[in-house]
Amino acid sequence: MTSTGIRLHAPAPGWSITADVVVVGSGVAGLTTALRCDAAGLRTVVVTKARLDDGSTRWAQGGIAAALGEGDTPEQHLDDTLVAGAGLCDEDAVRILVTEGPDAVRRLIETGAHFDESEGGGLELTREGGHHRRRIAHAGGDATGAEISRALVEAVRARGLRTVENALVLDLLTDADGGTAGVTLHVMGEGQHDGVGAVHAPAVVLATGGMGQVFSATTNPSVSTGDGVALALRAGAEVSDLEFVQFHPTVLFLGPDAEGQQPLVSEAVRGEGAHLVDAHGERFMVGQHELAELAPRDIVAKGIMRRMQEQGAEHMYLDARHFGAHMWEHRFPTILAACRAHGIDPVTEPVPVAPAAHYASGGVRTDSRGRTTVPGLYACGEVACTGVHGANRLASNSLLEGLVYAERIAADIADRHEQDRREQDRREESRREEDPHKEARPGVPSPVDRPAKPAHPLLAAEARFAIQRIMTDGAGVLRSAASLETAADRLQRLHSEARDALDENGKTAEPGVDTWEATNLLCVARVLVAAARLRAETRGCHWREDRGERDDTDWRRHIVVRLNPDRTLAVHTTDTPDFPPTLPQARDVVRAGGTPSPSPQEQ
């Protein structure tokens, strides 16, 4: 895969760091990768957009799913995951998740994470939607993500890993062979580094989280602007399944005009027996699915939306008054506090809820070791598409995916670092035999020069809100050919206006965090809408009101998107439900100084 040559308009780097691996993101995926790489002796740098503990992981309430309970098995966990994924999960990827998951959770506990325990001393497990067994480990009642983040951040600081906080990643650096050579980034505020700089490294791990801020209402923090997906696209990487955005069914309803991050009401509340009801107190999920309120999230979200449409209502209700004050205070203290902060007391009244954008099941396409289609570039966590989630993520599989695939990425980077070291030693020995006075090659590949002119126009900061309104209106929970066409046209207008201004007079918005984020949001929004328009069916969390049925004959396959050098999108479908390989063997051959083998598509 060749680079597009497209980079964000930004000043040249004024400082640099050299490392073996740079991890971008500080959630469960990023920090686990960094800790494992550091333990393998690799010089590791962590770059994060805010503070180390400000990513999406700390907002996770429900818990982490793994077959840890008596009578539960990885096979049962696999079955539930495949059902939720609606025919598009990569079964091999899921099997890796569920078989390696239990031990990965135990290692997380060894790292210092404390999970809630039952009176007998074992892990206290709960259920969530789509799970047929209690297999969700939680911490602090409903503060699992915060506890995992605390433990990992403390471990990173205890090991003295080098970190760069308040840093927005900009673009991938590549060497003369097309391999990864690091990233450029912009550090916001005071610190050891400031302004635009670079981390030079032969391995880059994207663990940047999601892109929920592409919609007006989301459970994602403000930093979730799709930066990792946009960077990967500009670098020439493939992304897949971006149309499958999961809308969490039970988000605290704050009014029809509420925007930004909304409080989540965890699925675990339903797992403990809360009921979804309408304004008349009727349970409308009973009879729609064998698991009723605990059906997979797409089914529950659709059930809520249908009842809202039938009754002309803006929200439904989650009724857990029967829990009593003690259970609310001890099992769900975070949710209780959030509800009461907005004038709602779930102990005495039902909680108004409605779906909101929550999780991107698709992302940067990877293989089973986290490798993308760009040599040396890895992706992990929500930014990645490993094939685990298919068309709809099973509840609480996200933290587990971050753990399992982070460990696999770290192992692969360590193996390849050792291979490269041995190859470099072999070359050095050969060099000495040929010419003892010839200078040795450096261990870290040098990045090629930046383009003389910026190749990607920047949007004005206020375009962010226009994009969010466009996406909410046209590509939200309920979509149609007409709504998606309108969204595509409006997004194209924003894209064309920025492009034309740059092409005609060289003008673009002033470089800065707000304009870079808006530009990234437009990039991922265009890909999402393009994929959603192409997928003419309803599957998982992609709900087309004009194509209400699942079509396994024509659409049990993936949609893959690349960015062309002229900034247009190249969109195609796979031939089968299986992903083609990411061709990691090409990197091995290039590093050895040979010619890459042709891809299956080229043969």
Side-chain angles (χ1 to χ4, degrees):
M1 186 64 62
T2 58
S3 172
T4 64
I6 301 172
R7 290 181 179 173
L8 289 174
H9 180 22
W15 52 269
S16 65
I17 300 172
T18 299
D20 295 320
V21 55
V22 54
V23 178
V24 187
S26 61
V28 62
L31 294 188
T32 300
T33 304
L35 287 167
R36 297 295 182 268
C37 285
D38 180 71
L42 302 175
R43 294 173 299 166
T44 305
V45 174
V46 177
V47 172
T48 186
K49 195 173 180 180
R51 304 293 293 177
L52 276 182
D53 59 354
D54 278 345
S56 293
T57 290
R58 77 181 186 94
W59 296 100
Q61 294 175 345
I64 183 166
L68 295 163
E70 184 178 353
D72 197 5
T73 64
E75 200 67 27
Q76 294 176 67
H77 190 182
L78 180 141
D79 289 343
D80 286 345
T81 301
L82 295 180
V83 169
L88 281 186
C89 294
D90 182 318
E91 187 167 339
D92 290 338
V94 178
R95 195 170 297 280
I96 288 169
L97 180 85
V98 299
T99 55
E100 297 182 12
D103 283 342
V105 173
R106 294 183 185 103
R107 284 188 288 273
L108 178 62
I109 293 172
E110 292 172 0
T111 302
H114 302 294
F115 289 90
D116 296 336
E117 296 184 350
S118 63
E119 294 182 359
L123 287 175
E124 184 179 67
L125 303 175
T126 189
R127 271 182 76 192
E128 291 186 354
H131 294 272
H132 282 78
R133 284 190 173 273
R134 286 183 170 264
R135 65 167 65 98
I136 316 299
H138 49 83
D142 58 359
T144 309
E147 171 57 19
I148 291 174
S149 180
R150 179 206 63 78
L152 292 173
V153 168
E154 286 188 5
V156 164
R157 288 176 174 156
R159 293 189 70 96
L161 266 72
R162 188 164 191 175
T163 61
V164 183
E165 296 179 292
N166 301 309
L168 172 64
V169 67
L170 298 175
D171 282 303
L172 190 74
L173 295 172
T174 55
D175 61 22
D177 293 325
T180 294
V183 292
T184 55
L185 61 155
H186 178 264
V187 179
M188 302 164 274
E190 298 179 359
Q192 184 177 359
H193 302 289
D194 198 7
V196 175
V199 181
H200 296 153
V204 171
V205 182
L206 296 178
T208 52
M211 54 185 211
Q213 289 292 325
V214 78
F215 294 96
S216 296
T218 177
T219 62
N220 289 190
S222 61
V223 295
S224 298
T225 51
D227 307 318
V229 172
L231 175 150
L233 283 163
R234 290 191 295 271
E238 294 180 351
V239 302
S240 184
D241 298 354
L242 226 60
E243 70 272 28
F244 296 118
V245 176
Q246 187 178 85
F247 286 76
H248 198 288
T250 54
V251 176
L252 186 63
F253 182 74
L254 301 180
D257 299 322
E259 295 183 340
Q261 186 177 9
Q262 314 285 302
L264 178 67
V265 182
S266 170
E267 201 149 313
V269 177
R270 282 175 280 140
E272 296 294 348
H275 302 144
L276 281 166
V277 298
D278 60 19
H280 306 293
E282 180 180 348
R283 288 181 64 187
F284 54 88
M285 285 304 300
V286 175
Q288 291 198 36
H289 190 276
E290 61 167 334
L291 296 176
E293 284 91 354
L294 285 177
R297 288 178 176 174
D298 63 310
I299 294 172
V300 178
K302 291 170 188 174
I304 291 174
M305 291 297 294
R306 287 193 185 101
R307 185 55 64 102
M308 286 166 56
Q309 289 175 330
E310 291 168 3
Q311 299 185 345
E314 295 178 325
H315 61 82
M316 290 288 107
Y317 293 93
L318 189 64
D319 191 351
R321 290 174 290 180
H322 55 285
F323 283 5
H326 182 269
M327 183 170 179
W328 269 111
E329 291 166 359
H330 289 83
R331 180 66 178 85
F332 301 111
T334 307
I335 299 170
L336 178 63
C339 289
R340 285 178 170 170
H342 291 282
I344 301 157
D345 188 352
V347 176
T348 60
E349 60 185 316
V351 178
V353 294
H358 182 58
Y359 191 90
S361 294
V364 184
R365 190 167 79 79
T366 73
D367 65 8
S368 63
R369 286 180 278 181
R371 297 176 292 193
T372 74
T373 51
V374 173
L377 179 65
Y378 297 76
C380 190
E382 190 173 355
V383 71
C385 181
T386 62
V388 160
H389 304 308
N392 183 46
R393 176 176 67 89
L394 181 65
S396 288
N397 266 357
S398 53
L399 292 175
L400 189 70
E401 183 194 34
L403 275 180
V404 169
Y405 282 87
E407 292 185 342
R408 291 183 140 253
I409 286 172
D412 191 74
I413 293 174
D415 287 347
R416 289 172 179 275
H417 180 78
E418 179 61 21
Q419 292 173 16
D420 288 349
R421 187 191 65 77
R422 290 175 180 173
E423 176 62 21
Q424 190 173 344
D425 288 347
R426 185 192 66 76
R427 288 179 176 178
E428 176 63 11
E429 184 177 347
S430 176
R431 181 195 64 79
R432 286 174 181 160
E433 291 176 354
E434 294 175 0
D435 184 355
H437 304 292
K438 187 177 180 180
E439 185 178 351
R441 289 186 62 181
V444 177
S446 299
V448 296
D449 292 337
R450 292 165 48 86
K453 295 182 179 180
H456 202 300
L458 299 181
L459 271 69
E462 55 268 24
R464 175 179 184 142
F465 305 104
I467 294 166
Q468 291 172 335
R469 287 190 291 270
I470 291 169
M471 294 299 289
T472 298
D473 292 343
V477 182
L478 187 57
R479 306 164 178 174
S480 68
S483 74
L484 290 166
E485 181 179 3
T486 299
D489 289 344
R490 294 171 69 189
L491 293 173
Q492 183 60 37
R493 196 174 307 126
L494 289 174
H495 176 74
S496 298
E497 288 172 355
R499 178 199 61 202
D500 294 344
L502 181 65
D503 292 345
E504 291 173 7
N505 53 36
K507 291 185 178 180
T508 187
E510 189 68 22
V513 174
D514 291 343
T515 56
W516 287 322
E517 286 184 335
T519 303
N520 285 339
L521 283 171
L522 178 61
C523 179
V524 297
R526 291 177 64 218
V527 174
L528 193 162
V529 170
R533 292 183 74 187
L534 183 59
R535 185 171 290 281
E537 64 160 354
T538 287
R539 181 185 297 272
C541 52
H542 172 65
W543 186 12
R544 287 277 298 261
E545 63 177 337
D546 56 333
R547 299 293 180 98
E549 299 298 324
R550 171 172 155 176
D551 180 1
D552 280 349
T553 301
D554 292 330
W555 286 109
R556 191 163 175 254
R557 59 192 67 200
H558 303 276
I559 295 175
V560 178
V561 183
R562 289 185 294 103
L563 187 63
N564 292 321
D566 63 358
R567 289 169 273 175
T568 59
L569 301 177
V571 185
H572 73 275
T573 61
T574 58
D575 295 330
T576 71
D578 299 323
F579 278 123
T582 57
L583 309 176
Q585 69 272 18
R587 177 180 187 271
D588 297 340
V589 179
V590 169
R591 292 291 191 196
T595 302
S597 302
S599 69
Q601 296 93 327
E602 296 168 335
Q603 290 177 331

